[in-house]
Amino acid sequence: MKYCIGLMSGTSLDGIDSVLLEIEGKGIDTKYKEIYFNCYPIDEDIKNEIHDSMDAKKSNVALICSLNYKLGNLFADACIDLCKKANISLDNVDFIASHGQTIYHNPNLEGKLVPSTLQIGEPSVIAYRTNTKVISNFRGKDIAAGGQGAPLVPYVDYILFNKYKKNIAIHNIGGIANTTILKKDTSKDEILAFDTGPGNMIIDELCRRLKGIEYDKNGEIAKRGRIDYELLNKMMSHSFFEQQPPKSTGREHFGSFYVEQLIKENNNIDANSLIATATEFTAETMADSYKRFILNNIDLDEIILCGGGAYNLTLRESLERKLKNIKISSMEDHSMNSFSKEAVAFAILGNECLNNIKSNIKSATGAKNYVVLGDITNS
Ligand SMILES: Nc1ncnc2c1ncn2[C@@H]1O[C@H](COP(=O)(O)OP(=O)(O)OP(=O)(O)O)[C@@H](O)[C@H]1O
Ligand SMILES: CC(=O)N[C@H]1[C@@H]2OC[C@@H](O2)[C@@H](O)[C@@H]1O[C@H](C)C(=O)O
């Protein structure tokens, strides 16, 4: 067993999910033990810089260049503090796997813009300050191989759940929501996985703009509002939902600009009801994805929810109503932690990189070839 750290700073911008693990083996035989998890909040100034760097009107090269180093330092701080809290010396940590902060994700050819994705948080800074090897830039090689560069966690879902003797889906509700479908006795080549649309992204942004709070804790606000079905139908007409998988999306489509328009065009709807409608919309896009692309061919037994949105009870109850015959559970029902899962996943992907194992799933990302994911920056 050796120690490693996984860092995930996701699309929600709620913080840097950081996990210290003991890891052993590789590929399907990977074994790990979670030692310590913490989510380090990102302060408002840096959060604003991240938002600005994604905004065509406010972004500039100097900002992104500086932010790359600021985030590298924040990620290093997280690793140093994590080891302190866990009472383990950084000298004993074999490697750090850092996803980085996605500031742009454009997986399709759009006019002059070629398929591309950008995660920042300078790995040299993390490696220098921690004196530890860093694996980063996990999405680059998959895009180079003609894929979407996302989702990547399905490979890890396969490692974690391949022995499960049921047809299951693992649905992550982060900023964006994405699902992995694992048929009983599936082979790696048959895994279906794709982004289903927004997760908490629209709900969070509405909470921030209309209520001055970060998120709708347990879905309490949505519970108090009334769903506006006319608006819901309009939201469902977005072209992303009919697009065939493999597909991925991000803030470019469902971020600040989308929410700004939503508020502007619906000023007759009160705040609670807008949040209720956005919550219903999120549940509907998740359920609709199964109905459109999965349930015609696969009888799903169970959907395991993970990511912070798994704790939004209004969202979860709506999903249960829409998919009555399928058991809805959470990571905790399987003795795992909903919050640490993605950070654990990148630690496992980092371990695969060091073992030179190809870890993209072609059927999930659309890549032409299997490739080794991640770049190594030595200490
Ligand atoms: N108790 C709760 N009730 C409702 N929502 C919650 C709760 N706890 C967390 N969340 C939501 O979960 C979000 C954080 O989720 P998570 O850490 O999975 O996102 P992420 O890592 O940014 O996502 P991504 O998968 O997009 O990379 C918060 O921003 C919030 O919207
Ligand atoms: C470009 C990017 O950062 N995509 C994330 C995002 O967050 C959820 C969803 O959109 C998924 O496609 C992906 O992350 C997970 C960890 C993945 O690659 O599996």
Side-chain angles (χ1 to χ4, degrees), residues 8 10-14 17 172-176 200 204 215-219 307-309 311-312 339 342:
M8 176 66 187
T11 48
S12 297
L13 299 183
D14 61 321
D17 291 335
N172 169 53
I173 317 175
I176 293 295
N200 306 296
D204 284 0
Y215 65 100
D216 180 14
K217 191 157 191 209
N218 304 334
Y311 291 87
N312 183 324
F339 284 102
E342 286 192 343

Side-chain angles (χ1 to χ4, degrees), residues 195-237:
D195 287 359
T196 57
N200 306 296
M201 192 171 275
I202 301 176
I203 305 169
D204 284 0
E205 190 68 20
L206 284 171
C207 284
R208 235 171 274 130
R209 287 176 187 245
L210 302 176
K211 300 265 179 190
I213 55 173
E214 288 299 308
Y215 65 100
D216 180 14
K217 191 157 191 209
N218 304 334
E220 288 296 335
I221 300 174
K223 208 179 196 170
R224 292 199 295 271
R226 283 183 42 191
I227 298 162
D228 186 304
Y229 286 95
E230 198 184 326
L231 173 59
L232 177 65
N233 287 338
K234 199 167 147 207
M235 291 168 89
M236 285 305 297
S237 66

Side-chain angles (χ1 to χ4, degrees), residues 235-256:
M235 291 168 89
M236 285 305 297
S237 66
H238 192 294
S239 62
F240 178 75
F241 305 115
E242 36 187 65
Q243 201 181 309
Q244 285 285 330
K247 58 178 176 174
S248 60
T249 188
R251 274 194 184 277
E252 303 72 27
H253 294 288
F254 298 106
S256 309

Side-chain angles (χ1 to χ4, degrees), residues 65 80 100 116 138-139 144-145 148 156 164 171 201 211 217 224 234 282 295 300 319 333 335 370 376:
C65 192
I80 293 164
S116 47
F138 287 91
R139 303 191 189 276
Q148 300 251 321
V156 177
Y164 211 68
H171 210 137
M201 192 171 275
K211 300 265 179 190
K217 191 157 191 209
R224 292 199 295 271
K234 199 167 147 207
T282 306
L295 297 177
L300 265 189
L319 195 63
D333 297 320
S335 311
Y370 287 116
I376 302 170

